[in-house]
Amino acid sequence: MGLFVISFIAATLIAAPSDLLAAIMPQLGYDPMRVFVVAATAGMLGNLINYYIGRYGYDFVLARFFISRDGDAVQSAPDRWLLRAEKFYERYGVWTLLLSGTPFIGDPLTTVAGAFQVRMWIFLLLVFAGKVWKYALMLGGVDLIVRAFSA
C-alpha cells in the first residue's frame, strides 16, 4: 500500500522517492512482479491526474504559477513554456509520452498531453508502456547489480 501511495504521488508533479522504494523492495523480500505491477499502475494513475490538470485546469495552473505578487500577469513565461511544449510535441508528437517514466521530464509531459487534448486511449497506452519500460529496466538492472556483487 505504501508503494502505491508513494508511486502515485511521485507521478504527479510532486516529488517523492518512489523509484528508490521500488528498487529496494525486492531486495527486502517483496515479490518483484507485485512491486512492478503496483509501481507501474500507481504511476500511470498519478500521470492521469496530470493529464486532467493539463486538460481542465491548464488556465488555472498558468494563472496560479505565472502571476506576480502584485497581481500583474507575467505574459512571457507561459507563452515561452507553451511554445516550447508545442514545438516539442510538433517535433516528436504523442510518442513523447513513452518518456513518462523518465525523471524530471516525464510528469510534465503528461500535463502537456492533457493541455493538448491527446486522446485518452493513446495517452493511457503510451504512458503505461513508458511506465512498464521504466520499471522493467530499473528492477532488472538492480537485480543484475545485486547478483553481480553477491556472487
Side-chain angles (χ1 to χ4, degrees), residues 128-146:
F128 189 70
K131 296 295 181 184
V132 166
W133 176 77
K134 169 189 176 174
Y135 286 109
L137 283 177
M138 185 182 66
L139 292 172
V142 168
D143 187 55
L144 285 174
I145 291 169
V146 168

Side-chain angles (χ1 to χ4, degrees), residues 1 3 12 34 52 65 67 72 75-76 92 96 134 136 139 143-145:
M1 188 63 173
L3 176 63
T12 63
R34 183 171 282 162
Y52 281 112
F65 293 106
I67 298 290
D72 295 331
Q75 296 296 327
S76 60
Y92 301 107
T96 58
K134 169 189 176 174
L139 292 172
D143 187 55
L144 285 174
I145 291 169

Side-chain angles (χ1 to χ4, degrees), residues 15 19 21 24 31 128:
D19 296 345
L21 182 61
I24 291 172
D31 178 26
F128 189 70

